[in-house]
Amino acid sequence: MSSDEYFEVKIPSDTAEGQAVQARIVEALEVREYPVRDVFAVRLALEEALVNAIKHGNGMSLDKDVDIKYWISDERVRIEIQDQGEGFDRTHVPDPTLIENLERPCGRGIMLMGAFMNLIEYNEQGNKVTLEKIKGVAPEQPEEELQGDEEEE
Amino acid sequence: MAAGHRRVDIEEVSDVTVAKFIDKKILDEGNIQIIGTQLFGLVDEDGRKKIILDFSNVEYLSSAALGKLITLDKKVKKAKGKLKLCSIRPDIYEVFAITRLNQLFDITETQEAALEGF
């Protein structure tokens, strides 16, 4: 068993810096032998969350930072990402899976985070996201998804 | 790498253009921009109408990359062409399924199957 790890870092609004943090977290998961599927899920969710914070939250402004905190144990990884933007109302993000939105080239990041992580939570302002992945535990799929699967059978 | 800024390998199979992603990860914003420019050029500049995107090498893909694929699909449709995606590994296919983009794109298991369908 490895001891728990906590780390926090402040990065400028630069996606290359985000990639470096991503690599560090992924490496920590691999050291703790998280399943390949978990590593895939965390990498994807991190990418989406960091791009959202840097591009949409901070508007790529180099004067603004992104705060990243993460906790990793042998059982779970929890990541908090906070930007300096005004935040947003999640209920105002159009559902990208509706037929009328299917061809819109954006709006899928939050959905993917929700599908691949066990927990996704925003603070009230909408400028901080908390993500959690439990080792080896697949996220619960929303009922709508299950219905969709049945239709395909 | 001699490929320089090229992130997609282009091959012609009779009148079909097969574009194979070189990168394992289509995540980085800069790479996605380059890929977008290269793929859009196939339609906008070269006037190609039958395009297959081969994902054999791709292990990671973000929603920003999906955005480029949707824009490419629109361009191809506007030009009255056809776009197909092939050789997508299960993890990546799940990304398409969750976002329901498996309903928008014509996806085949192999490049051969995609070629046969044109």
Side-chain angles (χ1 to χ4, degrees):
Chain A
M1 299 281 280
S2 318
S3 59
D4 294 0
E5 185 179 339
Y6 171 74
F7 182 76
E8 59 178 280
V9 61
K10 194 187 280 287
I11 61 164
S13 298
D14 174 350
T15 49
E17 298 269 355
Q19 295 276 328
V21 176
Q22 213 181 96
R24 182 175 177 152
I25 296 176
V26 164
E27 197 189 328
L29 295 176
E30 285 170 347
V31 167
R32 287 167 189 271
E33 296 178 344
Y34 273 64
V36 174
R37 191 169 163 73
D38 285 351
V39 177
F40 178 88
V42 172
R43 193 197 287 264
L44 183 71
L46 263 175
E47 171 69 22
E48 301 295 345
L50 286 167
V51 166
N52 279 353
I54 292 168
K55 264 178 88 175
H56 305 301
N58 288 349
M60 303 287 279
S61 163
L62 290 175
D63 301 335
K64 292 180 178 171
D65 298 319
V66 177
D67 281 309
I68 303 157
K69 293 177 184 166
Y70 71 78
W71 297 259
I72 303 178
S73 71
D74 288 333
E75 289 83 38
R76 67 181 64 209
V77 52
R78 184 183 176 91
I79 304 153
E80 285 180 10
I81 296 173
Q82 180 159 18
D83 60 59
Q84 294 184 303
E86 289 174 4
F88 73 108
D89 182 349
R90 205 177 154 184
T91 58
H92 289 172
V93 178
D95 179 352
T97 62
L98 296 178
I99 296 291
E100 62 265 33
N101 294 334
L102 219 47
E103 292 193 25
R104 287 170 63 136
C106 50
R108 293 181 175 81
I110 298 171
M111 178 171 207
L112 287 174
M113 286 189 267
F116 282 98
M117 301 301 276
N118 297 104
L119 172 85
I120 172 172
E121 233 172 47
Y122 279 89
N123 65 348
E124 202 173 326
Q125 194 187 331
N127 69 337
K128 181 171 106 175
V129 64
T130 302
L131 302 166
E132 200 170 279
K133 182 77 200 63
I134 304 168
K135 189 178 188 178
V137 177
E140 278 178 39
Q141 294 303 314
E143 222 165 280
E144 201 187 339
E145 286 295 324
L146 293 173
Q147 283 169 2
D149 287 349
E150 280 166 13
E151 278 165 22
E152 280 165 27
E153 279 173 11
Chain B
M1 289 288 284
H5 275 342
R6 273 188 42 204
R7 309 265 33 114
V8 183
D9 266 338
I10 307 295
E11 190 193 351
E12 295 291 333
V13 182
S14 63
D15 63 339
V16 180
T17 301
V18 179
K20 190 171 184 175
F21 293 105
I22 296 168
D23 298 290
K24 282 186 178 178
K25 298 172 196 153
I26 311 183
L27 290 174
D28 175 66
E29 188 78 8
N31 268 358
I32 290 171
Q33 285 300 340
I34 294 166
I35 286 170
T37 307
Q38 209 187 333
L39 291 179
F40 298 164
L42 293 175
V43 186
D44 295 339
E45 288 155 33
D46 307 343
R48 306 192 205 211
K49 291 191 174 174
K50 294 181 184 174
I51 299 174
I52 295 174
L53 295 183
D54 186 318
F55 285 75
S56 308
N57 295 327
V58 181
E59 293 173 7
Y60 284 99
L61 176 119
S62 69
S63 68
L66 294 177
K68 291 289 178 203
L69 298 181
I70 293 165
T71 306
L72 176 69
D73 188 59
K74 280 187 187 171
K75 283 180 184 287
V76 173
K77 279 179 182 156
K78 200 174 165 193
K80 303 215 179 337
K82 210 169 176 186
L83 175 71
K84 290 185 179 213
L85 278 49
C86 73
S87 311
I88 300 177
R89 60 189 69 203
D91 278 344
I92 303 284
Y93 185 81
E94 206 180 330
V95 170
F96 282 89
I98 289 166
T99 53
R100 307 259 156 119
L101 289 175
N102 54 343
Q103 296 173 10
L104 178 72
F105 293 115
D106 185 347
I107 301 176
T108 60
E109 263 186 46
T110 62
Q111 195 187 111
E112 291 71 32
L115 282 166
E116 278 170 20
F118 273 115

